[in-house]
Amino acid sequence: MLALITPDLPYGAEHFRFWKFFLHHIAISWTGIFLVLSIPIRITLASMLRAFLFLVSYALVVGVLINPLTGANYLYLARPAADTLLNHFGSGIIYYINLVTATFVAFVLLYWLAKWFSDNK
């Protein structure tokens, strides 16, 4: 969702990568909403925490191994992107703490939203 609000794109609307970026990020956001609304499954606090820990584990692999070995900035773990909301997350260890905190808050909000929808069906 953050990427949709403040995209870091060097391309304009006439370029393929512009549309690819938005289609991918919209699909990611809407997939979660679709699954919560369409599948009669109960999302538990434990399953939410497990998903969060999988994401943190993935981010550790990317941030500790892949980014340093390739010189890349996948998941914007090496540094904030230019002119996005991530610039306000600070730098160094504060940047990582703010990333994890923002992600955890998003997971909790989505958990509460899923719980509310499943209780009100």
Side-chain angles (χ1 to χ4, degrees):
M1 186 67 157
L2 178 65
L4 291 172
I5 296 170
T6 58
D8 180 25
L9 284 171
Y11 307 105
E14 68 284 347
H15 199 278
F16 165 75
R17 295 219 180 258
F18 177 90
W19 294 104
K20 180 179 180 261
F21 172 87
F22 280 102
L23 288 174
H24 284 180
H25 285 84
I26 289 169
I28 291 167
S29 299
W30 279 98
T31 299
I33 295 168
F34 171 77
L35 290 173
V36 166
L37 295 176
S38 66
I39 297 176
I41 188 168
R42 206 162 238 326
I43 299 172
T44 64
L45 186 60
S47 67
M48 185 271 299
L49 290 173
R50 192 169 40 254
F52 176 74
L53 291 176
F54 279 132
L55 178 64
V56 170
S57 300
Y58 173 67
L60 280 172
V61 169
V62 170
V64 173
L65 295 175
I66 295 173
N67 281 346
L69 290 175
T70 62
N73 189 19
Y74 295 115
L75 305 176
Y76 294 114
L77 293 173
R79 63 195 166 280
D83 299 326
T84 67
L85 293 176
L86 293 176
N87 286 334
H88 302 287
F89 279 27
S91 62
I93 192 72
I94 297 298
Y95 178 66
Y96 298 116
I97 291 170
N98 286 332
L99 277 176
V100 171
T101 302
T103 304
F104 187 73
V105 167
F107 268 66
V108 169
L109 289 174
L110 288 172
Y111 167 71
W112 285 339
L113 183 65
K115 186 170 173 46
W116 183 81
F117 272 113
S118 67
D119 290 345
N120 291 315
K121 279 188 177 180

